[in-house]
Amino acid sequence: MALSKEQKLTIPDQQHTTSSEQQVALDAELQLWNHTFGYVKSMALKAALDLGIPDAIHQHGGSATIPQIVTRITLHPSKTPCLRRLMRVLTLTGVFGTQEPHDDGGGCDDELVYTLTPASRLLVGPSGQNVSPLLNVMLCPILVSSFLDLRGWFQHEMPDPSPFKVTHGRDIWELAAHDAGFRRLFDAGMVADSGFIMNVVVRECGAVFQGISSLVDVGGGFGGATQAIAKAFPHLECSVLDLPNVVAGAPADTAVKYVAGDMFESVSSADAVFLKWIIHDWGDADCVKILKNCKKAIPAQGGKVIILDIVVGAGSSCDRKNVETQCLFDLYIMTINGVQRDEREWKKIIFEAGFTSYKIIPVLGTRSIIEVCP
């Protein structure tokens, strides 16, 4: 039976109120859908980086319409409507902002203007400010694919190969040694991260580098972090300890000294040992061994180990996004057998290595400085 116009108009009002029980169910469904589609946000960001959208907006003065963005990226004209859908997601998630269209006198300017936000400003600009290379590593298919069969990995007894090794047949370091493209991508990401975070470290945590005259960066790669420290604190004699194959490719035009070695065997003597994103790569037993070697390398009086890493729950603990990001990163590096620790877990390995005190300085967003003393 057909409904009259009047009947059709009254139906929404009659059905407008949802019972509390049904609303709970609908809210629960929304939560699950939003969680399920979380990976779409990551892939939307990857698409924006691959297409060069942040750079396109930046090159246009920090704000641009879709037609203006299209002139600076490679895009088939038929995909312009799809680009609008991509940008809608990226603005809703805060990667980009929008301004209302304005009429410049032509009478036909109804295009939204997309702008850079504090987040997307970190995706443009020079080294030391631009974190795009790090995100390119985190979003690359080689790493993302390690998540696709976690069920199978969880069903095997520990210790077993990492999800990464199960997927690729090699651990991440072996793959980097055999795949030059992945190695370049990985190295670029680590350099970008060092440039960004060390600019903050030397400004916000400079006091930890006072009172020492020498420092060795253990596992410091090409020395991006160490070079930032040496530049900010010229009185420091800085060196990097890393494997021989890494040191062989280190830059020569720097005041930083590069030493070939193995942190599991010994650490070069210095007033302070610096560990940036090293401890989370290893299990407790290996971490204790590394820290014991670090303790041997520093003076019993006045020596210290300076760790830059995540302490789960430290920092803006009242900020759910901060803690959630720390936990997400912990799960992310689980795929390469890495682990992020809370303060209790840090305390355990620090004291097992023979140290007597530590101080957590949670002023680096998701990350902290841990100052460890003999």
Side-chain angles (χ1 to χ4, degrees):
M1 180 179 69
L3 296 176
S4 68
K5 180 179 180 181
E6 290 75 13
Q7 287 174 314
K8 291 178 182 177
L9 290 175
T10 60
I11 287 176
D13 288 335
Q14 293 172 346
Q15 297 181 342
H16 180 72
T17 302
T18 304
S19 70
S20 59
E21 181 180 345
Q22 292 305 312
Q23 190 58 55
V24 168
L26 290 171
D27 289 345
E29 181 194 49
L30 173 62
Q31 181 181 359
L32 292 174
W33 278 40
N34 189 268
H35 198 105
T36 298
F37 293 133
Y39 77 95
V40 177
K41 293 194 292 185
S42 299
M43 293 303 102
L45 178 58
K46 183 179 188 304
L49 293 173
D50 292 345
L51 289 167
I53 293 173
D55 285 327
I57 298 175
H58 179 62
Q59 292 164 7
H60 208 274
S63 61
T65 62
I66 289 291
Q68 291 166 339
I69 293 172
V70 167
T71 64
R72 297 180 181 270
I73 66 175
T74 301
L75 184 85
H76 193 279
S78 67
K79 297 294 173 52
T80 299
C82 301
L83 180 61
R84 296 184 196 279
R85 295 161 69 181
L86 176 68
M87 294 301 290
R88 179 169 59 185
V89 168
L90 293 170
T91 54
L92 283 171
T93 54
V95 176
F96 299 113
T98 58
Q99 295 175 351
E100 289 300 318
H102 58 275
D103 192 338
D104 61 1
C108 60
D109 191 355
D110 59 353
E111 288 281 351
L112 270 178
V113 178
Y114 295 94
T115 61
L116 296 178
T117 63
S120 48
R121 288 191 184 280
L122 294 181
L123 307 178
V124 299
S127 176
Q129 302 172 15
N130 190 332
V131 301
S132 291
L134 177 64
L135 302 187
N136 286 332
V137 176
M138 291 181 169
L139 294 170
C140 76
I142 289 176
L143 283 167
V144 172
S145 61
S146 302
F147 281 93
L148 298 182
D149 188 26
L150 284 183
R151 184 190 69 167
W153 180 78
F154 270 111
Q155 292 172 343
H156 287 83
E157 183 181 358
M158 294 287 281
D160 56 0
S162 66
F164 186 97
K165 190 168 185 176
V166 170
T167 302
H168 300 290
R170 293 170 171 162
D171 67 31
I172 190 170
W173 313 115
E174 292 169 337
L175 185 66
H178 288 85
D179 185 329
F182 177 68
R183 182 72 203 192
R184 285 192 297 270
L185 183 73
F186 185 85
D187 288 344
M190 297 304 99
V191 169
D193 180 62
S194 289
F196 171 75
I197 197 62
M198 292 309 299
N199 282 337
V200 182
V201 168
V202 297
R203 290 196 303 268
E204 300 295 330
C205 307
V208 300
F209 301 104
Q210 302 296 338
I212 57 175
S213 59
S214 60
L215 176 144
V216 57
D217 182 357
V218 173
F222 293 157
T226 325
Q227 291 175 39
I229 295 170
K231 182 179 178 180
F233 306 99
H235 70 282
L236 277 179
E237 179 184 335
C238 294
S239 60
V240 172
L241 173 75
D242 215 314
L243 296 172
N245 63 302
V246 176
V247 171
D253 56 342
T254 173
V256 174
K257 179 182 177 182
Y258 292 86
V259 180
D262 185 340
M263 61 188 173
F264 287 104
E265 299 297 330
S266 65
V267 172
S268 309
S269 297
D271 291 339
V273 174
F274 185 61
L275 297 168
K276 173 186 173 288
W277 276 36
I278 294 296
I279 295 298
H280 71 221
D281 287 336
W282 306 97
D284 285 3
D286 286 330
C287 287
V288 170
K289 188 171 185 178
I290 294 168
L291 288 172
K292 282 183 175 179
N293 286 337
C294 292
K295 187 172 184 289
K296 294 175 184 176
I298 60 176
Q301 297 294 326
K304 65 174 74 174
V305 177
I306 303 167
I307 301 172
L308 171 54
D309 216 317
I310 287 176
V311 180
V312 177
S316 303
S317 56
C318 59
D319 181 352
R320 181 182 177 89
K321 181 176 287 188
N322 186 71
V323 178
E324 181 181 351
T325 302
Q326 292 173 335
C327 293
L328 287 172
F329 190 75
D330 175 49
L331 195 62
Y332 186 86
I333 66 169
M334 185 186 75
T335 63
I336 59 171
N337 278 355
V339 60
Q340 294 295 356
R341 296 171 172 87
D342 59 23
E343 182 175 357
R344 178 184 58 81
E345 292 165 325
W346 275 108
K347 180 179 179 179
K348 176 178 179 290
I349 63 171
I350 287 170
F351 285 176
E352 281 187 17
F355 292 91
T356 60
S357 66
Y358 68 93
K359 179 171 66 174
I360 297 172
I361 309 172
V363 294
L364 301 175
T366 58
R367 290 177 274 191
S368 297
I369 288 286
I370 311 174
E371 191 174 9
V372 184
C373 298

